[in-house]
Amino acid sequence: MGKVLRFCKLKSWEDYFEEFLLQKELEGLRPRTLNDYRYYIPRFLDGKERL
């Protein structure tokens, strides 16, 4: 009998980003830093923010 190959469903970058934020919060980053991450990182990844 042949082997079965199963593919894992990849998470979106938003899901990974939420896990990242949770980890940083547990590490004790300040709320201002977390808010900055929430503001700037999605804009950077979407290419909507020009500096």
Side-chain angles (χ1 to χ4, degrees):
M1 183 173 267
K3 294 182 179 181
V4 176
L5 179 63
R6 294 186 181 158
F7 291 98
C8 298
K9 183 180 177 191
L10 295 176
K11 297 179 184 179
S12 68
W13 71 262
E14 290 95 346
D15 293 333
Y16 287 111
F17 182 54
E18 287 302 319
E19 290 178 18
F20 168 80
L21 288 173
L22 178 60
Q23 180 62 38
K24 294 303 175 184
E25 186 175 357
L26 294 173
E27 290 175 8
L29 266 67
R30 293 179 179 254
R32 172 63 192 259
T33 303
L34 296 170
N35 288 336
D36 284 349
Y37 285 174
R38 284 186 185 96
Y39 181 80
Y40 288 108
I41 292 176
R43 284 162 181 73
F44 174 78
L45 293 174
D46 287 338
K48 295 180 182 175
E49 183 81 12
R50 296 207 182 239
L51 299 175

